[in-house]
Amino acid sequence: GAVVSQHPSWVICKSGTSVKIECRSLDFQATTMFWYRQFPKQSLMLMATSNEGSKATYEQGVEKDKFLINHASLTLSTLTVTSAHPEDSSFYICSARDTSAGYHEQYFGPGTRLTVT
Amino acid sequence: AQSVTQLGSHVSVSEGALVLLRCNYSSSVPPYLFWYVQYPNQGLQLLLKYTTGATLVKGINGFEAEFKKSETSFHLTKPSAHMSDAAEYFCAVSETGGYQKVTFGIGTKLQVIP
Protein backbone atom coordinates (compact mmCIF):
# COMPACT_ATOMS: atom_id res chain seq x y z
CA GLY A 1 0.00 0.00 0.00
CA ALA A 2 0.89 3.66 -0.26
CA VAL A 3 3.34 4.85 2.36
CA VAL A 4 3.97 8.33 3.70
CA SER A 5 6.99 9.01 5.86
CA GLN A 6 7.84 11.91 8.11
CA HIS A 7 11.21 13.03 9.38
CA PRO A 8 12.09 13.48 12.11
CA SER A 9 9.71 11.42 14.21
CA TRP A 10 10.44 13.63 17.18
CA VAL A 11 12.43 16.78 17.77
CA ILE A 12 13.28 18.99 20.72
CA CYS A 13 14.35 22.54 20.04
CA LYS A 14 14.97 25.71 21.98
CA SER A 15 12.61 28.62 21.90
CA GLY A 16 13.40 31.02 19.07
CA THR A 17 14.92 28.46 16.73
CA SER A 18 13.39 27.03 13.55
CA VAL A 19 12.53 23.43 12.87
CA LYS A 20 11.90 21.73 9.53
CA ILE A 21 9.68 18.67 9.19
CA GLU A 22 9.68 16.59 6.03
CA CYS A 23 6.78 14.64 4.58
CA ARG A 24 7.47 12.18 1.78
CA SER A 25 5.27 9.93 -0.31
CA LEU A 26 7.45 6.88 -0.83
CA ASP A 27 5.75 4.95 -3.60
CA PHE A 28 3.35 7.36 -5.24
CA GLN A 29 3.16 10.91 -6.49
CA ALA A 30 1.27 13.41 -4.40
CA THR A 31 0.12 16.59 -6.06
CA THR A 32 -1.56 17.60 -2.83
CA MET A 33 -0.39 17.15 0.73
CA PHE A 34 -2.00 18.30 3.95
CA TRP A 35 -0.50 19.38 7.26
CA TYR A 36 -2.30 18.86 10.55
CA ARG A 37 -1.46 19.49 14.17
CA GLN A 38 -2.82 17.57 17.09
CA PHE A 39 -2.77 18.77 20.68
CA PRO A 40 -2.81 16.21 23.48
CA LYS A 41 -6.12 14.41 23.78
CA GLN A 42 -7.59 16.43 20.92
CA SER A 43 -8.43 15.86 17.29
CA LEU A 44 -6.43 16.75 14.22
CA MET A 45 -6.74 20.30 13.03
CA LEU A 46 -5.96 21.06 9.41
CA MET A 47 -3.29 23.74 9.14
CA ALA A 48 -2.74 24.02 5.42
CA THR A 49 -3.08 22.38 2.05
CA SER A 50 0.18 22.05 0.15
CA ASN A 51 0.22 21.88 -3.62
CA GLU A 52 3.24 20.98 -5.68
CA GLY A 53 4.67 23.99 -7.42
CA SER A 54 2.40 26.57 -5.87
CA LYS A 55 1.78 28.41 -2.62
CA ALA A 56 0.12 26.57 0.21
CA THR A 57 -3.41 27.40 1.26
CA TYR A 58 -3.62 28.07 4.98
CA GLU A 59 -6.64 27.57 7.20
CA GLN A 60 -8.07 30.50 9.05
CA GLY A 61 -6.05 31.39 12.11
CA VAL A 62 -2.84 29.69 10.96
CA GLU A 63 0.08 32.10 10.57
CA LYS A 64 1.63 31.48 7.18
CA ASP A 65 4.81 33.37 8.10
CA LYS A 66 5.30 31.15 11.11
CA PHE A 67 4.48 27.84 9.48
CA LEU A 68 6.29 27.86 6.15
CA ILE A 69 5.27 25.15 3.73
CA ASN A 70 7.18 24.15 0.65
CA HIS A 71 6.01 21.48 -1.79
CA ALA A 72 8.91 21.42 -4.20
CA SER A 73 8.36 18.01 -5.75
CA LEU A 74 5.61 15.45 -6.21
CA THR A 75 6.98 13.40 -3.33
CA LEU A 76 8.13 15.94 -0.78
CA SER A 77 6.52 18.66 1.27
CA THR A 78 8.21 20.44 4.16
CA LEU A 79 6.82 22.35 7.12
CA THR A 80 9.15 24.81 8.82
CA VAL A 81 8.15 26.16 12.20
CA THR A 82 9.95 29.48 12.45
CA SER A 83 10.93 31.12 15.71
CA ALA A 84 9.37 28.29 17.64
CA HIS A 85 7.80 28.90 21.03
CA PRO A 86 6.61 26.44 23.68
CA GLU A 87 3.01 26.87 22.52
CA ASP A 88 4.06 25.40 19.16
CA SER A 89 4.79 22.10 20.88
CA SER A 90 2.45 19.60 19.31
CA PHE A 91 2.13 16.49 17.20
CA TYR A 92 2.34 17.37 13.51
CA ILE A 93 0.93 14.93 10.96
CA CYS A 94 1.00 15.15 7.20
CA SER A 95 -1.10 13.33 4.66
CA ALA A 96 -0.74 12.89 0.94
CA ARG A 97 -3.32 12.35 -1.72
CA ASP A 98 -2.55 9.66 -4.27
CA THR A 99 -3.71 11.38 -7.41
CA SER A 100 -3.66 8.20 -9.46
CA ALA A 101 -5.88 6.28 -7.03
CA GLY A 102 -8.86 8.56 -7.12
CA TYR A 103 -9.92 11.54 -5.13
CA HIS A 104 -10.67 9.75 -1.90
CA GLU A 105 -7.33 8.11 -1.33
CA GLN A 106 -5.37 10.02 1.28
CA TYR A 107 -2.56 8.51 3.31
CA PHE A 108 -1.19 9.72 6.62
CA GLY A 109 2.34 9.90 7.86
CA PRO A 110 3.37 8.62 11.31
CA GLY A 111 3.62 12.12 12.77
CA THR A 112 6.35 14.30 14.25
CA ARG A 113 6.38 15.18 17.93
CA LEU A 114 7.76 18.70 18.39
CA THR A 115 8.76 19.91 21.84
CA VAL A 116 9.92 23.49 22.24
CA THR A 117 11.77 24.24 25.46
CA ALA B 1 -19.25 23.39 5.46
CA GLN B 2 -18.83 19.95 6.92
CA SER B 3 -18.55 18.70 10.47
CA VAL B 4 -18.34 15.49 12.45
CA THR B 5 -19.76 14.70 15.86
CA GLN B 6 -18.52 11.71 17.81
CA LEU B 7 -20.68 10.87 20.78
CA GLY B 8 -18.63 9.77 23.74
CA SER B 9 -15.00 10.75 24.09
CA HIS B 10 -14.38 7.58 26.10
CA VAL B 11 -15.96 4.18 25.62
CA SER B 12 -15.23 1.11 27.73
CA VAL B 13 -16.15 -2.41 26.73
CA SER B 14 -15.30 -5.83 28.06
CA GLU B 15 -13.12 -8.12 25.99
CA GLY B 16 -15.41 -10.10 23.70
CA ALA B 17 -18.24 -7.58 23.89
CA LEU B 18 -19.71 -5.56 21.06
CA VAL B 19 -17.92 -2.35 20.14
CA LEU B 20 -20.10 0.57 19.01
CA LEU B 21 -18.57 3.97 18.32
CA ARG B 22 -20.99 6.62 17.18
CA CYS B 23 -20.44 9.21 14.48
CA ASN B 24 -22.80 11.73 12.95
CA TYR B 25 -21.82 14.07 10.17
CA SER B 26 -23.00 17.21 8.51
CA SER B 27 -22.28 17.91 4.89
CA SER B 28 -23.90 20.01 2.21
CA VAL B 29 -23.02 17.45 -0.45
CA PRO B 30 -22.82 13.66 -0.50
CA PRO B 31 -19.80 12.95 1.66
CA TYR B 32 -16.93 10.59 1.76
CA LEU B 33 -16.72 9.13 5.26
CA PHE B 34 -13.82 7.51 7.06
CA TRP B 35 -12.84 5.85 10.29
CA TYR B 36 -9.22 6.01 11.41
CA VAL B 37 -7.45 4.44 14.36
CA GLN B 38 -4.53 6.01 16.20
CA TYR B 39 -2.26 4.28 18.66
CA PRO B 40 -0.23 6.38 21.12
CA ASN B 41 2.39 8.57 19.47
CA GLN B 42 1.60 7.19 16.04
CA GLY B 43 -0.08 8.44 12.91
CA LEU B 44 -3.48 7.49 11.64
CA GLN B 45 -4.37 4.17 10.09
CA LEU B 46 -7.40 3.88 7.86
CA LEU B 47 -9.92 1.34 9.15
CA LEU B 48 -12.52 1.76 6.46
CA LYS B 49 -14.13 4.27 4.16
CA TYR B 50 -17.40 4.95 2.43
CA THR B 51 -17.40 6.69 -0.92
CA THR B 52 -20.24 5.34 -3.03
CA GLY B 53 -22.11 2.09 -3.47
CA ALA B 54 -22.82 -0.38 -0.69
CA THR B 55 -23.72 1.39 2.52
CA LEU B 56 -22.31 -1.34 4.78
CA VAL B 57 -18.57 -1.08 4.65
CA LYS B 58 -16.19 -3.66 6.00
CA GLY B 59 -12.72 -2.69 7.10
CA ILE B 60 -9.64 -4.13 8.66
CA ASN B 61 -9.44 -5.93 12.01
CA GLY B 62 -13.08 -7.00 11.88
CA PHE B 63 -14.56 -3.50 11.96
CA GLU B 64 -17.47 -2.37 9.86
CA ALA B 65 -19.60 0.73 9.53
CA GLU B 66 -22.93 1.53 7.95
CA PHE B 67 -23.69 4.76 6.12
CA LYS B 68 -27.22 5.88 6.93
CA LYS B 69 -28.08 8.96 4.95
CA SER B 70 -31.45 9.48 6.64
CA GLU B 71 -29.76 9.56 10.04
CA THR B 72 -26.56 11.27 8.80
CA SER B 73 -24.67 8.61 10.70
CA PHE B 74 -21.66 6.37 10.14
CA HIS B 75 -21.33 4.31 13.30
CA LEU B 76 -18.40 1.91 13.72
CA THR B 77 -18.98 -1.58 15.07
CA LYS B 78 -17.10 -4.76 15.84
CA PRO B 79 -18.87 -7.86 17.14
CA SER B 80 -16.19 -8.88 19.64
CA ALA B 81 -13.64 -6.55 21.19
CA HIS B 82 -10.04 -7.59 21.50
CA MET B 83 -7.47 -6.12 23.84
CA SER B 84 -5.50 -4.88 20.84
CA ASP B 85 -8.47 -2.71 19.82
CA ALA B 86 -7.71 -0.28 22.63
CA ALA B 87 -6.84 2.96 20.84
CA GLU B 88 -8.22 6.32 19.74
CA TYR B 89 -10.73 6.26 16.91
CA PHE B 90 -11.50 9.19 14.66
CA CYS B 91 -14.45 9.61 12.36
CA ALA B 92 -13.86 11.94 9.43
CA VAL B 93 -15.72 13.46 6.53
CA SER B 94 -14.20 14.63 3.29
CA GLU B 95 -15.24 16.97 0.57
CA THR B 96 -15.89 15.15 -2.67
CA GLY B 97 -14.44 17.90 -4.81
CA GLY B 98 -11.69 20.48 -4.75
CA TYR B 99 -8.77 19.60 -2.52
CA GLN B 100 -10.94 17.18 -0.55
CA LYS B 101 -10.08 18.51 2.85
CA VAL B 102 -10.77 16.09 5.65
CA THR B 103 -12.57 17.20 8.81
CA PHE B 104 -12.08 15.03 11.86
CA GLY B 105 -14.25 14.38 14.88
CA ILE B 106 -12.82 14.85 18.36
CA GLY B 107 -12.03 11.17 18.66
CA THR B 108 -13.24 8.36 20.90
CA LYS B 109 -10.84 6.57 23.16
CA LEU B 110 -11.73 2.91 23.35
CA GLN B 111 -10.78 1.01 26.47
CA VAL B 112 -11.04 -2.77 26.48
CA ILE B 113 -11.39 -4.36 29.88
CA PRO B 114 -10.06 -7.91 30.30
Side-chain angles (χ1 to χ4, degrees):
Chain A
V3 178
V4 175
S5 70
Q6 281 184 243
H7 179 78
S9 56
W10 59 270
V11 57
I12 301 173
C13 70
K14 292 186 176 182
S15 186
T17 62
S18 296
V19 174
K20 180 184 286 187
I21 302 171
E22 293 184 348
C23 176
R24 293 181 184 274
S25 57
L26 297 186
D27 49 4
F28 65 97
Q29 293 185 330
T31 307
T32 303
M33 291 183 173
F34 303 88
W35 286 96
Y36 299 82
R37 65 185 300 180
Q38 184 181 31
F39 292 105
K41 302 185 187 304
Q42 294 188 30
S43 189
L44 283 74
M45 299 298 296
L46 179 65
M47 299 174 65
T49 302
S50 168
N51 295 289
E52 187 267 336
S54 64
K55 292 182 179 180
T57 303
Y58 291 82
E59 294 300 298
Q60 190 172 9
V62 177
E63 300 176 60
K64 61 180 181 180
D65 294 331
K66 181 170 187 60
F67 298 100
L68 301 179
I69 292 173
N70 185 291
H71 194 157
S73 76
L74 287 173
T75 59
L76 174 65
S77 176
T78 60
L79 169 68
T80 301
V81 183
T82 63
S83 187
H85 288 97
E87 57 265 31
D88 298 325
S89 298
S90 189
F91 195 52
Y92 293 86
I93 301 177
C94 72
S95 71
R97 186 156 68 86
D98 184 349
T99 311
S100 65
Y103 279 101
H104 48 273
E105 295 296 340
Q106 198 173 124
Y107 302 94
F108 286 81
T112 297
R113 173 76 59 192
L114 170 63
T115 301
V116 184
T117 60
Chain B
Q2 54 191 22
S3 65
V4 176
T5 302
Q6 289 184 242
L7 297 177
S9 58
H10 286 82
V11 170
S12 294
V13 300
S14 298
E15 189 175 17
L18 171 71
V19 176
L20 171 60
L21 304 183
R22 299 179 185 273
C23 173
N24 288 88
Y25 70 91
S26 173
S27 177
S28 57
V29 296
Y32 292 153
L33 295 161
F34 308 83
W35 275 99
Y36 291 91
V37 61
Q38 184 182 36
Y39 297 97
N41 294 312
Q42 294 187 29
L44 275 68
Q45 181 181 11
L46 180 66
L47 280 178
L48 48 80
K49 64 177 184 277
Y50 168 79
T51 54
T52 58
T55 56
L56 181 62
V57 181
K58 295 184 183 298
I60 62 172
N61 302 338
F63 285 94
E64 62 181 39
E66 186 171 10
F67 169 58
K68 292 187 177 180
K69 183 178 178 180
S70 61
E71 299 177 7
T72 61
S73 69
F74 192 56
H75 302 329
L76 181 71
T77 61
K78 181 174 181 177
S80 177
H82 192 273
M83 294 300 295
S84 61
D85 295 326
E88 188 96 26
Y89 292 81
F90 293 95
C91 182
V93 61
S94 169
E95 300 171 336
T96 55
Y99 293 127
Q100 299 173 344
K101 294 189 295 185
V102 178
T103 301
F104 288 87
I106 62 170
T108 298
K109 187 169 185 177
L110 176 65
Q111 180 185 19
V112 181
I113 303 168

